[in-house]
Amino acid sequence: MTPRVAVVGSGPSGIYAADALIDQGVEVDVFDRLPTPFGLVRYGVAPDHVSIRSVRDTLDKVWDKAGVRFLGNVQVGRDISVEELRRSYNAVVLTYGAAADRRLGIEGEDLPGSVAATDFVAWYTGHPDYRGPDFARLLSSTRRVAVIGVGNVAVDVVRVLSKSEAELSETDMPDYVLETLRDAPIEQVTLLGRRGPVQASFTTKELKELGELAEADVRVRADELDLDPWSEEQLANSKVAQRNLAVLTEWLGRDTRPDAQRTIDLRFFVRPESLGGRTHIESITVERTNLDDEGRLSGRGEFERLDVDLVVRSVGYRGEAMPGVPFDPTSNVVPNVDGRVTDSGGDLVPGLYVAGWIKRGPTGIIGTNKKCAVGTVASLLEDLPSLPVPAGASDVGQLLNDRGVEVVTIEGWRAIDARERDRGQERGRPRQTIASRDELMEIAGTTPST
Ligand code: NAP
């Protein structure tokens, strides 16, 4: 009998895993809690990064292959358990990612106007389950923003907040997002790195883009580019850090443009100490920092208060536990050996695998997940001959139907895809993301218009 595998999550890792399995003659069902596939490619990659988002077109081709099905709008752990999947398939691969935000643990973190980057990203990409802060209201009176963290997500946030209407007009953002960003009176966005420019985790291409915006001037401080001995040593061993520092140094000598609408300030060696405000964010206090000879961070006892209306905390994503699946709460991943899930005693859980961010943590670019997923699939294929044949009913579709779960198939996604393209074209854009889950479900029940 043809082996069957369930993949939980249809982001890049899930699709790369499915693709590698189908190529080996395995039948694959890919589950997603959303009615649409592609995970962070759709709801993470910034909409103005059109070429990175076009990875979606490559991933989309997998659905044309024989032996793969998409089961959208199915939340594993709620609508069907991992145990039920394990009984119905030869193996289960978990690729559900790391969707939660990490906390800072400082005073004022929960004041209105202090938001997680994960929320801002979900809002501007039109995530159907977005229930976070009301950005239309918040941004209508935001002049100064502090973004904590110097990773690529922080850079995405700064860029989206700083771009002109014309620069954003070719994106697939929902209309309400474009209108809110257009009307926001933003004058200054400050990016805060707790360590130095050499330790920043943004990449050079993303950094450079901040200096190429139509309406924003970028500023850095000479004293914050001064390197301590530890950073000098790190710089010598990192081509990315060398390229980043060259870009930052070039910006030091730049003239400001009199017609710039806003400024982007890149700050280093400043860590957030507290957020202040009576009923809403009014300021952030940062402490200047040092790195010692072994790279350890310490405060200098010198504090600075920045007046801001909005704080975006962009300090990384965090994986969460799924019911019935082992979880390591320290590293926030599913414990595994080469993608084979292990329990709390370190023993392998037969037939259960993991790939992507929930396997190794929220790092790397989209392509990193291909290698990661292929590695997990190699482990699975090696084990397959010795895995027990599934004992339970193989018709998971029937089970979900009996439970009243409205499954979105690939035809449903094709209908959504066609409708989004049509909507975009009506507005002179390649696509417009539909954000309402009800609307997505309604369209999924129709026939594609193309
Ligand atoms: P990230 O690269 O891990 O960056 C997190 C940032 O938060 C770091 O600068 C970190 O500083 C800082 N941070 C953590 N805890 C902090 C604290 N308590 N106080 C102050 N700062 C703190 O994470 P990310 O930006 O969320 O990105 C996740 C992954 O997605 C990355 O691999 C990224 O490259 C990728 N991504 C790629 C793109 C792209 O290719 N265009 C776009 C978006 C995301 P320390 O280093 O000091 O800890």
Side-chain angles (χ1 to χ4, degrees):
M1 235 171 72
T2 308
R4 301 174 69 245
V5 170
V7 172
V8 181
S10 67
S13 305
I15 295 191
Y16 289 133
D19 201 23
L21 286 161
I22 306 159
D23 286 350
Q24 297 305 313
V26 176
E27 284 181 3
V28 185
D29 282 352
V30 182
F31 294 82
D32 204 296
R33 69 189 171 96
L34 296 178
T36 52
F38 310 133
L40 278 187
V41 169
R42 189 174 157 97
Y43 297 115
V45 174
D48 64 325
H49 271 172
V50 177
S51 69
I52 306 180
R53 270 175 100 76
S54 69
V55 169
R56 176 164 55 185
D57 301 335
T58 313
L59 299 177
D60 210 12
K61 292 197 173 72
V62 80
W63 310 119
D64 297 333
K65 295 193 176 185
V68 64
R69 296 195 300 175
F70 175 61
L71 291 92
N73 194 42
V74 179
Q75 187 164 336
V76 174
R78 183 194 65 185
D79 300 327
I80 187 164
S81 69
V82 171
E83 206 40 54
E84 284 169 323
L85 290 182
R86 288 181 66 204
R87 282 202 295 271
S88 306
Y89 295 86
N90 297 69
V92 176
V93 186
L94 304 166
T95 61
Y96 63 90
D101 64 298
R102 287 179 52 207
R103 302 278 299 167
L104 282 172
I106 60 171
E107 190 190 320
E109 187 167 8
D110 294 317
L111 270 173
S114 160
V115 302
T118 47
D119 272 343
F120 187 52
V121 171
W123 172 77
Y124 70 56
T125 54
H127 195 292
D129 292 345
Y130 181 70
R131 301 285 177 274
D134 178 357
F135 281 106
R137 197 178 51 77
L138 272 180
L139 288 173
S140 69
S141 56
T142 293
R143 295 186 187 283
R144 287 156 304 189
V145 187
V147 180
I148 302 172
V150 281
N152 277 330
V153 171
V155 173
D156 282 349
V157 167
V158 172
R159 205 180 55 252
V160 166
L161 286 170
S162 306
K163 275 196 165 179
S164 65
E165 183 184 5
E167 285 171 308
L168 292 175
S169 65
E170 287 180 6
T171 69
D172 58 14
M173 285 173 169
D175 281 348
Y176 61 84
V177 172
L178 284 175
E179 283 157 18
T180 299
L181 292 169
R182 179 197 63 201
D183 296 341
I186 294 167
E187 292 165 2
Q188 186 182 23
V189 184
T190 306
L191 194 61
L192 301 167
R194 64 177 167 179
R195 299 189 288 159
V198 171
Q199 291 80 27
S201 52
F202 48 59
T203 38
T204 314
K205 181 179 158 291
E206 281 63 30
L207 175 65
K208 257 185 167 168
E209 282 178 275
L210 296 183
E212 294 161 359
L213 304 184
E215 294 183 345
D217 269 342
V218 64
R219 298 189 297 208
V220 277
R221 299 180 179 205
D223 62 322
E224 292 180 354
L225 299 190
D226 280 347
L227 300 185
D228 49 82
W230 166 260
S231 297
E232 288 284 9
E233 207 179 306
Q234 284 210 309
L235 183 71
N237 297 319
S238 165
K239 290 266 178 284
V240 177
Q242 287 165 22
R243 284 194 290 264
N244 286 348
L245 195 63
V247 171
L248 294 165
T249 308
E250 195 259 315
W251 287 345
L252 274 181
R254 270 203 186 177
D255 292 332
T256 53
R257 289 172 297 172
D259 58 336
Q261 305 290 308
R262 54 195 70 91
T263 54
I264 297 171
D265 284 285
L266 277 97
R267 302 287 311 272
F268 297 101
F269 296 111
V270 279
R271 71 177 175 197
E273 192 265 339
S274 62
L275 309 183
R278 280 152 296 175
T279 56
H280 186 278
I281 287 289
E282 291 171 28
S283 65
I284 175 169
T285 300
V286 294
E287 182 181 18
R288 297 191 60 79
T289 61
N290 275 332
L291 289 174
D292 71 13
D293 287 350
E294 288 172 3
R296 280 185 299 250
L297 185 77
S298 58
R300 282 202 231 162
E302 294 165 29
F303 296 89
E304 187 182 338
R305 195 183 111 139
L306 310 175
D307 292 332
V308 291
D309 315 301
L310 181 72
V311 171
V312 184
R313 310 179 311 264
S314 183
V315 295
Y317 283 71
R318 177 173 56 82
E320 292 182 297
M322 176 173 277
V325 175
F327 190 71
D328 177 349
T330 312
S331 49
N332 297 315
V333 297
V334 172
N336 70 93
V337 177
D338 298 332
R340 297 173 174 98
V341 174
T342 55
D343 63 18
S344 54
D347 294 327
L348 293 180
V349 181
L352 195 57
Y353 298 83
V354 65
W357 277 9
I358 198 62
K359 169 184 171 187
R360 55 170 217 281
T363 58
I365 57 171
I366 295 170
T368 317
N369 294 304
K370 183 164 191 174
K371 197 167 167 226
C372 179
V374 166
T376 293
V377 167
S379 298
L380 189 160
L381 292 171
E382 195 182 309
D383 301 346
L384 198 54
S386 57
L387 290 175
V389 174
S394 62
D395 196 351
V396 162
Q398 186 61 47
L399 186 76
L400 291 167
N401 194 36
D402 293 346
R403 289 178 183 171
V405 181
E406 214 179 315
V407 177
V408 174
T409 61
I410 202 56
E411 287 72 30
W413 157 242
R414 295 275 181 246
I416 293 169
D417 187 33
R419 190 72 64 88
E420 288 191 337
R421 288 177 196 272
D422 288 349
R423 290 244 177 117
Q425 268 153 33
E426 286 161 19
R427 291 160 172 79
R429 304 198 258 143
R431 172 190 294 273
Q432 192 198 32
T433 302
I434 295 170
S436 150
R437 188 181 259 270
D438 287 348
E439 200 179 348
L440 290 169
M441 290 304 294
E442 192 196 315
I443 299 166
T446 65
T447 312
S449 63
T450 50

